[in-house]
């Protein structure tokens, strides 16, 4: 994965780099010898590394599906499915699954109806009616709100009742041509049907919850000593993982095979709202806004052009039937790889794997993504406006494995932006003092298909984006004309070698090294061949590759320019909050606290309640030192 901030959607995966602990590292050759593999009759692959140093085991199952496997109309479905896989099975998360079935079927019927109604209304008309509804909700008396409590069903019922009791619509609505009706179509009636349907969905979900055991899968893991329990969706894959006591390996195999074989997507319609709220957060995050616009311009054909969380218009139309079909297609044993690293016995692991995963039938092999990005024919530029500070992104298209030039970019990114001795740090940040922080250089947004080498930076006042862009381009042009010294090249190779050794010093590091070798290179053994190829990179290779790829024709540039805040917004209304600071603060909390926040969010019934929670988290982030002031420092303490 890249170092892109796009990783907000897979925060735990990004954090893994920091979690890899130093220890007695295995050499690459030793690790290759230690990896034992087997494949079940249904095509499911297992990679096992026996490390009896401590009585723990790191377990991960990776599905060969990410947002790059999606298509228009269903973007974001991989990430949505990841959420839904924690909702239980026919055995987990329920006291009486058979009693849940009628509720699931009815909510699906109503949910599909809401999708159809919204399409009939059209988004412009729906937005006007939704705003009108919020105005009506604001007129509810304290007594009415107290009687409604947290019941979304009762709230919607009263809303519809009040609207239908109105003798005439407000002039602001009545004056809008074709809003309330067009010919024989009564659009207000359709909208009220939409609100009634959603109220009924919530009523049925409340009743269904009598049979549900909330978070039973999660709690079962935690009660059995799990650490680092989480999941993540990227452009290229979806992973579920946990650290467990070694004597809980069979429990992991049992639970994971159960949710692969018989997942139940209960609470689908409310959980879809949670994912859509993530989408809204990204739309309000200035960095996400820039990156989404940037990648949509940098790529014209490759599916890396849409975000992992998907587009809102697609999320609005995905139903549970589509999700179930997507799950059946991609979450098949022949599309999955399991890595087990720790104090385990290979023969026992193989026996248990056959018992639990063996009976799950294989599915038709998935069709690989064959669309490739065509050669760029000229520089592309995109500019967005925001009240946040300016930011610059530069990127050049580059090849992926197995192109031999791909490993040269590992060396180039280290030369440019790895540590205090890197070129962008010493020149742009330290000597010229052009940027607020050291520029970042990474590859991404995915790694399976031809991707980008990306440089990003934020100008330091009073310097401008133009100055920073020119300075970065000049520094990159040096790679084409001035050979890297042998000393600098050797230092970079030593750094890469040291990073590899550190990662091989923990179960988690070994597991992801092996997995990335399987996913990106087709064979875990090739990950170590790749490191050997990095050692063979010469100064001439760096100059040749820089000259070939770092051209104006192959470049995409993204600017976020700062505009003054709207006067009305500045004079009142909602306070401005730093969504990135909130995200960083939440990720700093322990697992239990993060889970509590998610549970609170899922229980909320209105945008106003969600806004209140967001403001509360923002204040907590400020108190913890995660909110930066205008000078780049934290308001309280140091930014973490």
């Amino acid at each position: 994965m890249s170092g892109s901030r796009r990783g907000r959607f897979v925060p735990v995966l990004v954090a893994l780099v920091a979690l890899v602990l130093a220890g007695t590292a295995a050499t690459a050759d030793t690790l290759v010898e230690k990896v034992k593999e087997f494949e079940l009759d249904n095509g499911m692959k297992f990679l096992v590394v026996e490390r009896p140093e401590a009585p723990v085991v790191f377990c991960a199952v990776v599905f060969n599906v990410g947002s790059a496997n999606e298509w228009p109309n269903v973007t974001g479905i991989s990430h949505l499915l990841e959420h839904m896989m924690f909702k239980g099975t026919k055995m987990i998360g329920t006291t009486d699954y058979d009693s849940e079935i009628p509720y699931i079927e009815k909510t699906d019927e109503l949910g599909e109806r809401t999708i159809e109604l919204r399409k009939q209304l059209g988004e412009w008309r729906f937005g006007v009616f939704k705003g009108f509804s919020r105005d009506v909700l604001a007129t509810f008396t304290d007594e009415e709100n107290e009687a409604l409590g947290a019941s979304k069903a009762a709230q919607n019922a009263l809303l519809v009742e009040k609207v239908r009791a109105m003798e005439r619509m407000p002039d602001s609505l009545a004056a809008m041509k074709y809003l309330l009706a067009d010919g024989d179509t009564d659009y207000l009636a359709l909208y009220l049907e939409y609100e009634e349907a959603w109220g009924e969905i919530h009523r049925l979900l409340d009743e269904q919850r009598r049979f549900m055991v909330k978070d039973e899968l999660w709690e079962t893991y935690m009660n059995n000593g799990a650490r680092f329990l989480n999941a993540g969706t990227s452009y290229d894959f979806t992973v579920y993982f946990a650290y467990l006591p070694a004597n809980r390996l069979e429990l992991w195999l049992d639970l994971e095979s159960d949710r692969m074989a018989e997942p139940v997507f209960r609470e689908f319609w409310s959980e879809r709202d949670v994912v859509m709220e993530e989408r809204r957060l990204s739309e309000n995050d200035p960095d996400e806004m820039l990156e989404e616009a940037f990648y949509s311009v940098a790529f014209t054909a490759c599916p890396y052009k849409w975000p992992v969380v998907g587009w809102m218009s697609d999320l609005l139309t995905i139903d549970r039937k589509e999700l179930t079909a997507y799950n059946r297609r991609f979450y098949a044993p022949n599309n999955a790889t399991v890595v087990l690293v720790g104090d385990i016995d290979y023969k026992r692991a193989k026996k248990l794997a056959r018992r639990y995963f063996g009976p799950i039938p294989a599915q038709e092999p998935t069709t690989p993504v064959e669309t490739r990005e065509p050669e760029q024919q000229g520089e592309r530029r995109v500019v967005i406006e925001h009240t946040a500070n300016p930011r610059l992104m530069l990127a050049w298209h580059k090849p992926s494995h197995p192109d031999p030039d791909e490993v040269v970019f590992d060396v180039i990114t280290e030369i440019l932006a790895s540590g205090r001795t890197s070129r962008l740090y010493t020149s742009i940040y330290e000597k010229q003092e052009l940027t607020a922080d050291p520029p970042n250089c990474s590859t991404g947004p995915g790694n399976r298909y031809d991707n980008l080498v990306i440089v990003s930076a934020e100008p330091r006042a009073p310097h401008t984006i133009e100055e920073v862009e020119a300075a970065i381009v000049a520094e990159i042009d040096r790679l084409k004309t001035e050979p890297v010294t042998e000393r600098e090249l050797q230092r970079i190779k030593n750094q890469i070698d040291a990073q590899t050794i550190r990662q091989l010093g923990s179960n988690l590091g070994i597991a992801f090294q092996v997995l990335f070798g399987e996913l990106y290179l087709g064979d875990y053994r090739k990950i170590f061949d790749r490191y050997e190829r990095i050692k063979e990179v010469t100064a001439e290779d760096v100059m040749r590759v820089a000259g070939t790829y770092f051209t104006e024709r192959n470049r995409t540039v993204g600017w976020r320019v700062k505009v003054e805040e709207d006067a009305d917004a500045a004079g009142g209304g909602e306070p401005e909050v730093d969504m990135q600071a909130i995200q960083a603060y939440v990720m700093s909390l322990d697992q239990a606290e993060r889970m509590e926040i998610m549970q609170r969010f899922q229980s909320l019934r209105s945008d106003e309640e969600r806004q209140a929670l967001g403001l509360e988290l923002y204040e907590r982030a400020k108190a913890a030192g995660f909110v930066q002031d205008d000078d780049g420092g934290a308001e309280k303490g140091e930014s973490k």
Side-chain angles (χ1 to χ4, degrees):
M1 288 180 303
S2 73
S4 164
R5 296 166 91 167
R6 173 76 44 193
R8 185 179 83 79
F9 304 120
V10 283
V12 179
L13 294 180
V14 175
L16 285 175
V17 176
L19 293 174
V20 174
L21 307 175
T24 305
T27 65
D29 291 338
T30 303
L31 179 58
V32 169
E33 294 171 1
K34 284 189 173 183
V35 177
K36 300 177 181 179
E37 60 181 291
F38 63 89
E39 187 172 305
L40 303 181
D41 292 341
N42 57 18
M44 191 168 184
K45 191 169 188 177
F46 286 76
L47 303 171
V48 180
V49 181
E50 297 174 325
R51 293 186 83 236
E53 283 88 342
V56 293
V57 58
F58 182 78
C59 309
V61 56
V62 180
F63 293 95
N64 188 18
V65 59
S67 61
N69 298 95
E70 298 164 357
W71 53 88
N73 297 337
V74 297
T75 64
I77 196 171
S78 302
H79 177 240
L80 174 59
L81 178 56
E82 176 216 317
H83 275 243
M84 296 307 304
M85 290 299 288
F86 284 92
K87 292 299 182 179
T89 67
K90 293 181 179 179
M91 294 191 303
I92 298 293
T94 184
T95 60
D96 186 352
Y97 172 66
D98 289 338
S99 295
E100 286 189 87
I101 294 175
Y103 292 101
I104 293 173
E105 292 176 344
K106 184 60 178 176
T107 53
D108 280 352
E109 179 185 330
L110 289 165
E112 289 163 9
R113 178 58 179 160
T114 64
I115 291 174
E116 183 58 35
L117 286 167
R118 188 159 180 164
K119 289 179 180 178
Q120 290 181 42
L121 287 164
E123 284 304 302
W124 74 271
R125 193 178 282 112
F126 179 85
V128 174
F129 284 141
K130 200 66 179 177
F132 171 57
S133 294
R134 284 192 287 268
D135 293 340
V136 175
L137 289 171
T139 67
F140 285 12
T141 65
D142 292 341
E143 291 77 11
E144 286 172 332
N145 284 319
E146 185 176 351
L148 294 173
S151 174
K152 180 68 174 178
Q155 181 191 81
N156 280 34
L158 183 57
L159 168 68
V160 172
E161 179 185 330
K162 283 180 174 286
V163 173
R164 284 182 173 153
M166 293 180 179
E167 293 184 1
R168 63 188 304 273
M169 290 295 102
D171 292 341
S172 58
L173 271 63
M176 294 184 69
K177 196 173 183 180
Y178 307 126
L179 173 68
L180 300 176
D182 186 2
D184 295 332
T185 305
D186 186 339
Y187 286 110
L188 179 60
L190 292 178
Y191 177 74
L192 295 179
E193 182 186 348
Y194 172 92
E195 291 290 356
E196 285 180 317
W198 267 109
E200 183 65 4
I201 287 173
H202 284 285
R203 186 188 69 79
L204 291 168
L205 284 173
D206 288 340
E207 288 190 12
Q208 182 187 346
R209 291 185 178 109
R210 294 177 300 163
F211 307 105
M212 293 166 51
V213 183
K214 190 170 181 61
D215 302 319
E216 185 176 14
L217 178 67
W218 185 279
E219 294 298 331
T220 300
Y221 271 126
M222 299 304 291
N223 291 337
N224 282 275
R227 293 184 298 130
F228 301 153
L229 172 63
N230 221 309
T233 306
S234 76
Y235 288 91
D236 298 323
F237 61 87
T238 307
V239 60
Y240 301 81
F241 54 89
Y243 240 127
L244 286 163
N247 61 3
R248 293 296 186 270
L249 173 62
E250 185 170 3
L251 173 70
W252 185 86
L253 292 163
D254 187 6
L255 293 176
E256 292 305 317
S257 61
D258 182 41
R259 71 167 162 176
M260 177 187 280
E262 295 185 321
V264 175
F265 303 134
R266 46 178 64 89
E267 296 183 293
F268 169 80
W269 300 97
S270 59
E271 191 66 24
R272 194 185 67 160
D273 280 350
V274 173
V275 174
M276 287 194 290
E277 187 62 25
E278 282 194 51
R279 172 67 246 177
R280 293 185 188 97
L281 289 174
S282 69
E283 291 172 353
N284 292 321
D285 183 292
D287 288 333
E288 295 288 347
M289 289 173 64
L290 174 60
E291 290 177 11
E292 286 187 1
F294 184 81
Y295 292 130
S296 69
V297 170
F299 295 103
T300 58
C302 177
Y304 288 158
K305 66 183 178 180
W306 54 68
V308 172
V309 78
W311 300 122
M312 181 65 83
S313 56
D314 290 343
L315 294 172
L316 285 166
T317 60
I318 294 172
D319 59 26
R320 208 172 70 92
K321 289 179 181 177
E322 280 185 298
L323 189 78
T324 300
Y326 193 84
N327 169 261
R328 187 182 304 111
R329 179 179 180 181
F330 288 104
Y331 275 49
N334 50 315
N335 201 45
T337 300
V338 168
V339 175
L340 306 172
V341 182
D343 187 17
I344 52 177
D345 177 74
Y346 167 77
K347 291 183 179 179
R348 180 171 181 269
K350 186 175 182 179
K351 180 180 179 180
L352 292 173
R354 285 174 172 168
R355 178 191 304 172
Y356 289 105
F357 284 99
I360 303 174
Q363 300 295 322
E364 286 294 320
T366 59
T367 303
V369 176
E370 296 179 346
T371 302
R372 294 294 180 268
E373 186 67 19
E375 181 180 352
Q376 188 165 314
Q377 301 301 318
E379 184 185 67
R380 301 170 186 167
R381 286 184 173 262
V382 59
V383 178
I384 69 165
E385 297 179 345
H386 200 278
T387 57
N389 288 330
R391 186 181 173 207
L392 166 72
M393 292 183 72
L394 295 161
W396 294 261
H397 287 277
K398 59 171 282 292
S400 60
H401 175 82
D403 191 301
D405 285 346
E406 190 266 339
V407 297
V408 182
F409 284 97
D410 275 33
V411 175
I412 288 175
T413 56
E414 293 282 319
I415 291 171
L416 290 174
S418 178
R420 293 174 178 268
T421 58
S422 63
R423 295 188 175 188
L424 296 181
Y425 187 101
T426 57
S427 174
I428 308 297
Y429 175 67
E430 196 169 54
K431 293 180 181 178
Q432 301 181 62
E433 298 184 339
L434 294 175
T435 59
D437 297 296
N440 178 64
C441 183
S442 61
T443 59
N447 288 293
R448 175 162 288 172
Y449 311 108
D450 290 353
N451 57 1
L452 305 169
V453 57
I454 307 157
V455 178
S456 61
E458 294 187 4
R460 178 179 182 178
H463 297 291
T464 65
I465 294 182
E466 291 93 337
E467 289 180 82
V468 175
E469 179 183 333
I472 290 175
V473 170
E475 198 60 49
I476 286 175
D477 283 344
R478 282 183 55 206
L479 293 173
K480 307 175 189 178
T481 58
E482 300 178 17
V484 178
T485 66
E486 189 58 38
R487 181 176 181 179
E488 184 178 15
L489 192 59
Q490 191 57 51
R491 176 180 60 81
I492 293 302
K493 292 178 180 180
N494 291 342
Q495 287 178 353
I496 294 173
D497 203 37
Q499 291 167 7
T500 304
I501 291 173
R502 283 195 296 271
Q503 290 172 352
L504 297 180
S506 71
N507 292 344
L508 184 150
I510 289 172
F512 277 90
Q513 285 287 306
V514 170
L515 270 178
F516 291 156
E518 279 292 312
L519 289 166
Y520 292 135
L521 309 180
D523 187 332
Y524 68 89
R525 299 172 187 84
K526 292 182 180 179
I527 195 75
F528 305 111
D529 295 337
R530 188 173 183 280
Y531 292 132
E532 291 304 314
R533 293 187 180 187
I534 289 174
K535 293 178 182 178
E536 296 172 358
V537 173
T538 66
E540 289 73 21
D541 289 329
V542 172
M543 288 184 67
R544 175 183 56 79
V545 167
T548 302
Y549 297 97
F550 289 121
T551 64
E552 182 177 350
R553 172 175 174 165
N554 190 39
R555 185 169 67 209
T556 300
V557 183
W559 286 11
R560 183 179 69 218
V561 297
K562 187 171 184 177
V563 295
E564 293 302 319
E565 189 174 5
D566 182 89
D568 292 336
E574 298 179 6
E576 183 179 352
V577 298
D578 185 345
M579 297 308 304
Q580 190 176 356
I582 293 176
Q583 294 153 16
Y585 166 68
V586 172
M587 287 309 301
S588 75
L589 303 175
D590 61 35
Q591 201 73 269
E593 290 178 296
R594 293 206 303 269
M595 196 63 189
E596 179 186 355
I597 290 172
M598 178 56 74
Q599 290 170 347
R600 282 183 62 190
F601 180 80
Q602 291 174 331
S603 69
L604 302 180
R605 293 289 184 262
S606 68
D607 291 340
E608 289 75 15
E609 291 175 326
R610 295 187 184 99
Q611 179 186 340
L613 176 58
L615 291 174
E616 176 193 328
L617 292 174
Y618 180 64
E619 292 302 320
R620 288 165 60 178
K622 284 173 61 177
F626 283 82
V627 178
Q628 305 236 330
D629 59 26
D630 292 337
D631 297 326
E635 287 192 0
K636 293 187 179 182
E638 290 297 323
S639 177
K640 299 182 180 179

